[in-house]
């Protein structure tokens, strides 16, 4: 495996330096991102292993469980090591497994941030993200709730999730936006324009579903041939492609397995040649 020369850190919000390959904590919960995991000890072990292997950026949400993911992170990692950045989200509520109705009422959003502060055992959320825009509530009211909490010192930075370029611009007109989290991976680039806009603005782009929950990691996946040439795994190639695609991309692969976590983090040590990148770019 060739050693990576890609810039592997990013200054989130200009003041929080994190390694660009983080950990997404959605899978710490039960099926349908609902309830407790079948193996809570295993979930705790994954979070601890992530920190031991150098992860300093963890992404979660109040709705994962709900609350379960945040509580597991706190149980596994508190008191937190210096430099650990935990991002969470509010704006989706839960009515059952796999159900995610958006709720953007300011009072609800503020309540959920207060709950996240308690669950994560922190005085300030490093990065709060609007999980989805609620079409029933003015965007200015939704982001305004976060801005008020920022003024109170309970929120450090604000981000948005699953937005268009137009919605991102509208959000920036309301308050400072330091990150955008959209679906994006090697075979789904529907947010390419948002990525390009984020890069031009110096905004972190956090791709969720970065390896399509294993689809790209299968032996017969589109990246398998490139992976074989590089003595790497398909998931490592998919993540390395993201890291080299843009310096503002912060992939957050999630897993319940320490073995898969270690494999994913190995992507940071992988360098794709211009020819490799061209082959992979052609897959979309």
């Amino acid at each position: 495996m060739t050693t990576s020369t890609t810039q592997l850190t990013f200054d989130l919000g200009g003041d929080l330096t994190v390694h660009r390959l983080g950990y997404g904590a959605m899978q710490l919960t039960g099926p349908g991102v609902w309830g407790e995991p079948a193996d809570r000890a295993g979930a705790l072990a994954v979070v601890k292993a992530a920190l031991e292997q150098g992860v300093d950026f963890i992404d979660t949400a109040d709705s994962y469980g709900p609350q379960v993911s945040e509580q597991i992170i706190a149980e596994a990692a508190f008191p937190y090591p210096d430099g650990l950045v935990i991002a969470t989200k509010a704006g989706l509520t839960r009515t059952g497994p796999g159900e995610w109705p958006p709720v953007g009422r300011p009072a609800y959003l503020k309540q959920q941030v207060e709950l996240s502060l308690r669950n994560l055992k922190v005085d300030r959320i490093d990065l709060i993200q609007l999980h989805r825009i609620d079409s029933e509530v003015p965007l200015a009211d939704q982001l305004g709730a976060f801005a008020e909490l920022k003024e109170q010192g309970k929120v450090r930075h604000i981000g948005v999730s699953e937005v268009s370029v137009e919605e991102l611009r509208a959000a920036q007109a309301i308050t400072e936006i330091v990150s955008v989290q959209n679906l994006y991976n090697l075979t789904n680039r529907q947010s390419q324009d948002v990525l390009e806009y984020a890069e031009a603005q110096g905004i972190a782009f956090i791709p969720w579903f970065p390896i399509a929950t294993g689809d790209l990691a299968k032996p017969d996946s589109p990246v398998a041939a490139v992976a074989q040439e590089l003595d790497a795994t398909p998931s490592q190639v998919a993540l390395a492609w993201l890291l080299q695609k843009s310096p503002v991309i912060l992939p957050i692969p999630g897993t319940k397995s320490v073995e898969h976590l270690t494999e994913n983090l190995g992507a940071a040590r992988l360098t794709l040649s211009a020819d490799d990148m061209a082959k992979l770019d052609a897959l979309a």
Side-chain angles (χ1 to χ4, degrees), residues 182-226:
N182 277 24
L183 171 63
Y184 187 84
N185 57 49
L186 189 54
T187 57
N188 186 332
R189 303 181 207 170
Q190 62 189 29
S191 290
Q192 183 67 37
D193 58 338
V194 180
L195 168 60
E196 291 168 2
Y197 179 81
E199 183 173 335
Q201 296 281 311
I203 294 172
F205 184 93
I206 305 169
W208 60 270
F209 221 39
I211 50 175
T213 309
D215 287 351
L216 295 175
K218 294 175 181 174
D220 59 348
S221 74
V223 298
V226 173

Side-chain angles (χ1 to χ4, degrees), residues 83-150:
L84 176 64
V85 173
I86 301 176
T88 193
K89 311 177 198 75
L92 290 179
T93 189
R94 303 302 303 279
T95 52
E99 298 174 2
W100 308 79
V103 177
R105 295 190 302 276
Y108 175 77
L109 294 176
K110 291 178 183 178
Q111 165 195 298
Q112 293 307 108
V113 172
E114 295 286 355
L115 199 56
S116 290
L117 288 167
R118 190 187 315 162
N119 284 328
L120 290 168
K121 300 182 180 179
V122 294
D123 297 322
R124 179 171 64 175
I125 300 293
D126 292 324
L127 173 62
I128 186 67
Q129 302 157 91
L130 183 62
H131 211 158
R132 289 293 184 278
I133 294 174
D134 183 348
S135 61
E136 302 297 315
V137 180
L139 181 59
D141 291 352
Q142 296 174 67
L143 291 176
F146 290 161
E148 285 183 34
L149 293 169
K150 184 177 177 181

